[in-house]
Amino acid sequence: MNIWDQEKYVEAWNFASQIHSAQQLPGSSIPYINHLGLVAMEAAAAVANGGIDHPDILVLCALLHDSIEDTSATYKDIQMRFGHEVADGVLSLTKNFELPSKSAQMQDSVSRIRRQPKEVWMVKLCDRITNLQPPPRHWDKEKAAAYQAEAQFILEQLGGASSFLAQRLSNKIDNYHQYL
């Protein structure tokens, strides 16, 4: 089995822990690193399932996917520590907040992700699998339905990267109906 470099994983985990240290999951007291760990766990499960050509890209991007979007870390910071392939992947997973709507941001992000190796596509699948938990209490059914529809769009656009993760996401989408 092709496995990721454990030393790079530790370096990325420590880097992510440091840059996200002041953050908590929205609406909770849970440290944000919990989310990153869950996304990395989904990535590790995909690696264990087999057929991953570049497991380092998958696992490192899973740990770092919110670095540019949610912290002061830059593309250059990530490139210098983890290489251009990981930095390119993280950048493609970063929303462009200059675009006028969430829909436009998602379309743009998916378009950029699709130009990356399939392992970056898989990070987006892992992220959405992890995020399809019970919605925050302040969301109404309309917002939850929009989030579910967005998940379906991600599945349709990126699911070809991994049948294992596509099935996991499909199951999460189906299960999400209970919140609508």
Side-chain angles (χ1 to χ4, degrees):
M1 172 172 49
N2 199 5
I3 193 79
W4 60 89
D5 182 312
Q6 290 172 280
E7 295 306 317
K8 288 180 184 176
Y9 179 96
V10 170
E11 183 180 358
W13 177 263
N14 289 336
F15 180 77
S17 294
Q18 180 181 18
I19 63 174
H20 290 281
S21 66
Q23 295 175 308
Q24 295 176 324
L25 294 175
S28 80
S29 61
I30 299 171
Y32 194 79
I33 194 72
N34 185 71
H35 167 67
L36 302 177
L38 292 174
V39 175
M41 182 270 303
E42 291 290 343
V47 172
N49 192 60
I52 308 301
D53 296 329
H54 306 286
D56 280 331
I57 293 173
L58 173 56
V59 174
L60 297 181
C61 285
L63 288 170
L64 301 170
H65 75 276
D66 283 334
S67 297
I68 297 172
E69 185 172 309
D70 291 344
T71 76
S72 61
T74 66
Y75 173 89
K76 188 160 188 74
D77 295 334
I78 294 168
Q79 181 186 27
M80 289 179 66
R81 289 183 84 144
F82 304 103
H84 75 87
E85 290 175 318
V86 171
D88 288 350
V90 172
L91 186 60
S92 76
L93 292 158
T94 301
K95 290 182 196 87
N96 180 352
F97 291 113
E98 294 179 7
L99 294 173
S101 67
K102 284 190 169 273
S103 175
Q105 291 169 9
M106 179 57 65
Q107 291 279 345
D108 172 68
S109 180
V110 167
S111 175
R112 287 183 289 115
I113 290 166
R114 287 178 61 91
R115 293 192 294 267
Q116 295 295 313
K118 72 175 184 173
E119 289 80 5
V120 176
W121 299 27
M122 294 168 69
V123 173
K124 188 65 177 176
L125 297 171
C126 293
D127 184 41
R128 192 49 62 110
I129 289 166
T130 299
N131 285 340
L132 283 174
Q133 304 296 322
R137 292 181 189 189
H138 65 275
W139 283 18
D140 59 20
K141 291 191 183 301
E142 186 177 307
K143 183 161 182 156
Y147 197 73
Q148 183 189 43
E150 191 177 83
Q152 184 64 42
F153 171 74
I154 291 166
L155 176 61
E156 290 166 2
Q157 295 297 309
L158 304 175
S162 166
S163 60
F164 172 76
L165 291 173
Q167 187 60 56
R168 293 259 312 132
L169 182 53
S170 179
N171 292 344
K172 289 284 195 169
I173 291 167
D174 290 345
N175 190 46
Y176 205 73
H177 282 292
Q178 67 182 303
Y179 306 117
L180 307 182

